[in-house]
C-alpha cells in the first residue's frame, strides 16, 4: 500500500543520488500549441540531471488513438521503459523543467503499470540547481532492465466509465483546466473543440496547487482546496496531463486511489452528443 509523501526534495535526491537503485527520469514537455519554445527532448539535451533519461509522453503512448499521449498497453509501456534503464526494484524520481506539467503524468503512468516506488522531484530541475546539483548535456549510457507490469486499471478512467459515473452522489470530478475554459468563456486551444465542462464536475486549476517558485503547496494548504480529499475522485483536464497534478496533490493528502480521465476534455468534447455544461 502506498503511503507517505509522493514528492521528494532536491536535497533528498542529492543525498541519495549515488544509491544503486535510484533512477531519474526527465519528463519535460511543452504544450504550447502555437509557438512551443522547444521540445522536451531538446530541453533535456541542453541540460539535465546527470544520468537522467528523457521520458517523452508522446513516445510512450498509444499511437493508434486519435487522442494525444494516451496511455499505451502494458506490453508497449514495458518495452519503452526498459529502454530508459528503468525496471523492477528501482526507486524512480521523475522531474521536469516545466513545473509539474508532465512529471506528475509520468508518476501516474508508472503507478498504473504497478510500480509503486516512484516520486516526483518537488520544484523540478530549478530546485535541483538551486540546491547545488550539477547538470550534464550528454546522454547517459543506459542498460536495459526488466520491468514487470502489474496494471492498476482502477487508476484509469475512460469515457464509457465516466458517462456511467456522472451524477453519482459521492464521486468527485475535478477539472484542472483554467476557469475560462471550464466555464466556456475562453476557446479551447485544440481546433474544433467547444469549451465548457463535464456536468457535475468542479473546477480547480492545476496552477492553484503550486507555489510561485514551482513547488507543490504543503499538505495543510492543499487540504483547504478540496471539499472531500479522501473521497472517490476522478481528475480531468485538457488531455490527461495536468489532471495528474491533481492526483499527485491528493496523494500528498493521503488519497492514493484517484483515477485520471485519460482522454479528458479532448475526448469528451470530440463527440457532440455528450453533454457540455458552462454554468457554475
Amino acid at each position: 500500500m502506498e503511503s507517505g509523501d509522493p514528492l521528494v526534495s532536491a536535497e533528498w535526491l542529492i543525498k541519495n543520488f549515488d544509491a544503486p537503485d535510484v533512477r531519474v527520469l526527465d519528463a519535460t514537455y511543452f504544450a504550447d500549441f502555437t509557438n512551443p519554445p522547444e521540445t522536451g527532448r531538446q530541453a533535456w539535451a541542453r541540460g539535465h540531471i546527470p544520468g537522467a533519461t528523457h521520458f517523452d509522453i508522446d513516445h510512450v503512448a498509444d499511437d493508434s488513438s486519435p487522442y494525444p499521449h494516451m496511455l499505451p498497453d502494458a506490453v508497449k509501456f514495458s518495452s519503452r521503459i526498459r529502454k530508459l534503464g528503468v525496471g523492477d526494484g528501482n526507486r524512480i524520481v521523475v522531474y521536469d523543467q516545466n513545473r509539474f506539467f508532465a512529471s506528475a503524468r509520468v508518476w501516474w503512468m508508472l503507478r498504473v503499470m504497478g510500480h509503486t516506488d516512484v516520486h516526483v522531484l518537488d520544484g523540478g530541475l530549478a530546485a535541483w540547481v538551486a540546491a547545488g546539483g550539477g547538470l550534464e548535456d550528454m546522454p547517459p549510457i543506459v542498460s536495459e532492465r526488466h520491468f514487470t507490469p502489474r496494471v492498476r486499471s482502477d487508476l484509469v478512467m475512460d469515457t464509457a466509465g465516466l458517462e456511467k459515473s456522472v451524477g453519482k452522489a459521492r464521486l468527485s470530478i475535478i477539472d484542472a483546466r483554467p476557469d475560462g475554459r471550464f466555464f466556456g468563456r475562453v476557446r479551447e486551444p485544440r481546433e474544433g473543440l467547444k469549451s465548457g465542462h463535464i456536468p457535475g464536475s468542479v473546477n480547480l486549476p492545476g496552477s492553484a496547487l503550486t507555489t510561485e517558485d514551482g513547488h507543490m503547496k504543503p499538505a495543510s494548504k492543499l487540504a483547504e482546496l478540496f471539499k472531500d480529499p479522501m473521497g472517490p475522485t476522478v481528475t480531468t483536464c485538457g488531455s490527461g496531463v495536468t489532471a495528474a497534478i491533481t492526483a499527485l496533490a491528493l496523494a500528498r493528502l493521503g488519497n492514493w486511489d484517484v483515477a485520471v480521465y485519460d482522454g479528458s476534455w479532448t475526448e469528451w468534447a470530440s463527440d457532440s452528443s455528450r453533454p457540455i455544461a458552462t454554468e457554475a
Side-chain angles (χ1 to χ4, degrees):
M1 182 177 178
E2 294 169 287
S3 61
D5 195 337
L7 290 97
V8 295
S9 67
E11 291 76 15
W12 181 95
L13 183 56
I14 288 173
K15 181 180 178 180
N16 293 273
F17 185 74
D18 292 325
D21 59 338
V22 171
R23 296 291 182 275
V24 182
L25 294 175
D26 184 313
T28 303
Y29 181 83
F30 300 100
D32 188 325
F33 296 91
T34 56
N35 186 32
E38 57 187 346
T39 67
R41 187 168 185 83
Q42 287 171 334
W44 167 82
R46 179 166 41 78
H48 53 266
I49 293 176
T53 48
H54 184 245
F55 188 114
D56 185 345
I57 61 172
D58 283 334
H59 179 64
V60 188
D62 180 4
D63 295 330
S64 66
S65 173
Y67 310 113
H69 38 253
M70 292 286 283
L71 189 73
D73 62 28
V75 173
K76 183 173 183 178
F77 184 91
S78 299
S79 173
R80 295 288 167 88
I81 200 72
R82 287 199 304 265
K83 289 179 170 60
L84 297 180
V86 172
D88 300 341
N90 283 150
R91 288 185 288 171
I92 304 172
V93 177
V94 191
Y95 76 92
D96 61 42
Q97 302 181 38
N98 189 18
R99 300 175 76 87
F100 287 95
F101 190 66
S103 53
R105 167 82 184 184
V106 175
W107 165 84
W108 169 76
M109 293 174 72
L110 283 159
R111 293 177 57 245
V112 169
M113 294 298 167
H115 197 100
T116 57
D117 202 349
V118 53
H119 295 77
V120 173
L121 177 60
D122 194 14
L125 188 66
W128 168 265
V129 172
L135 300 177
E136 68 178 13
D137 58 8
M138 296 296 292
I141 298 173
V142 176
S143 298
E144 288 194 27
R145 293 179 57 87
H146 182 72
F147 183 92
T148 306
R150 300 177 179 86
V151 179
R152 282 195 60 184
S153 57
D154 61 304
L155 296 180
V156 186
M157 177 61 74
D158 59 18
T159 299
L162 190 57
E163 287 177 324
K164 295 176 182 177
S165 300
V166 168
K168 294 292 179 63
R170 290 204 64 238
L171 181 70
S172 296
I173 304 172
I174 303 176
D175 192 318
R177 291 174 300 152
D179 59 1
R181 292 165 61 186
F182 180 85
F183 290 113
R185 299 191 299 263
V186 176
R187 291 180 59 183
E188 285 292 310
R190 288 182 173 83
E191 192 67 31
L193 289 185
K194 292 182 178 179
S195 58
H197 58 269
I198 298 166
S201 59
V202 297
N203 185 224
L204 179 58
S207 59
L209 307 174
T210 60
T211 63
E212 290 185 2
D213 62 356
H215 288 76
M216 180 162 280
K217 290 179 178 179
S220 59
K221 296 296 184 183
L222 292 174
E224 298 172 359
L225 302 174
F226 295 94
K227 181 179 180 181
D228 183 16
M230 299 305 295
T233 303
V234 173
T235 64
T236 182
C237 59
S239 62
V241 180
T242 311
I245 302 176
T246 311
L248 180 68
L250 285 165
R252 187 165 225 189
L253 293 175
N255 187 350
W256 292 84
D257 298 321
V258 173
V260 170
Y261 177 24
D262 198 14
S264 282
W265 190 251
T266 300
E267 182 171 356
W268 183 270
S270 67
D271 186 338
S272 59
S273 69
R274 297 189 188 107
I276 293 177
T278 55
E279 74 282 354

